[in-house]
Amino acid sequence: MASGGTEALPDLGKHCQHRHCNQLDFLPFTCDGCKQVFCLEHRSYKSHACPKSDHNSRKVVVCETCNMSIETTGHLEQDEEAILQQHHKSGHCDPTKKKKPICPVKRCKEVLTFSNTSTCKTCHIKVCLKHRFSADHACGRGASASSLVSVANDGRWNNRFLTALAIRTRQECAKNGATTSSSPNTPVKAH
């Protein structure tokens, strides 16, 4: 019944093998599952109810311990429980992989994935995109923070506020010292 064509050109096209269609199609489709010929309307697995629609499908089972997916496509003779037991005995089952990494910033519960993870260039900590800037994750090794850390580590200052106040006071003293050394009548050259 798959033969087709017209009286003048008997080799042109084929008839759709769907039981209710039998339409002559000049560009027929051959199903790669059941190997029958169909028209454009009945070419999909679902439209012609193909009995071999899952011949290219991949099947997996997920391990409850480590969240690893194990392919079961090639193991027709084994059931899922036997495959999971074999996985547990193989040594590839690692329960630490089940816990997903989260952002280390206090009170942030964002799960770190490949698309929302940023690595700080100064302190090399992986944080979420919300905390990617050094001020957001209290980066301790930034350019301005390095001076704060050196002052804070010498034992006199234990509070960040006092450290920042000391740096600000030093900068103001340096400015005031430079302006008092020059007389008010001395011209300043701009370059």
Side-chain angles (χ1 to χ4, degrees):
M1 185 166 210
S3 65
T6 60
E7 291 178 6
L9 299 167
D11 294 332
L12 184 65
K14 295 191 178 188
H15 288 280
C16 177
Q17 291 183 329
H18 190 269
R19 63 179 180 243
H20 299 298
C21 183
N22 199 27
Q23 175 183 352
L24 177 63
D25 196 340
F26 296 110
L27 295 170
F29 295 92
T30 303
C31 176
D32 58 350
C34 62
K35 306 294 184 210
Q36 291 183 346
V37 178
F38 297 100
C39 64
L40 178 68
E41 184 180 344
H42 298 110
R43 68 182 174 152
S44 68
Y45 296 134
K46 190 175 182 179
S47 64
H48 70 268
C50 185
K52 297 182 180 179
S53 63
D54 63 347
H55 73 285
N56 283 335
S57 297
R58 295 178 69 191
K59 296 176 184 169
V60 295
V61 63
V62 179
C63 176
E64 293 290 328
T65 309
C66 65
N67 281 351
M68 185 175 180
S69 56
I70 303 142
E71 188 169 1
T72 62
T73 307
H75 306 285
L76 296 176
E77 66 277 352
Q78 294 179 338
D79 62 340
E80 292 179 1
E81 290 179 18
I83 293 171
L84 284 174
Q85 287 176 356
Q86 184 180 4
H87 167 69
H88 288 296
K89 292 177 184 176
S90 70
H92 295 293
C93 187
D94 187 10
T96 59
K97 291 182 182 178
K98 186 170 183 168
K99 186 177 180 184
K100 303 205 187 247
I102 59 169
C103 182
V105 176
K106 191 174 184 178
R107 294 189 191 104
C108 183
K109 305 228 187 274
E110 187 74 27
V111 175
L112 298 178
T113 62
F114 71 95
S115 63
N116 77 338
T117 302
S118 178
T119 304
C120 181
K121 292 180 181 178
T122 55
C123 65
H124 305 290
I125 294 176
K126 290 186 178 185
V127 294
C128 68
L129 292 179
K130 292 181 219 171
H131 301 106
R132 68 185 177 268
F133 300 113
S134 59
D136 294 335
H137 67 268
C139 182
R141 293 186 350 196
S144 63
S146 63
S147 60
L148 293 174
V149 171
S150 65
V151 173
N153 287 340
D154 84 40
R156 292 181 297 177
W157 305 100
N158 291 328
N159 192 341
R160 287 181 115 183
F161 174 74
L162 294 175
T163 306
L165 182 63
I167 291 172
R168 185 174 178 187
T169 306
R170 264 190 271 149
Q171 290 172 350
E172 287 179 3
C173 289
K175 285 181 185 177
N176 291 339
T179 56
T180 56
S181 65
S182 64
S183 64
N185 295 335
T186 308
V188 178
K189 291 184 181 179
H191 294 277

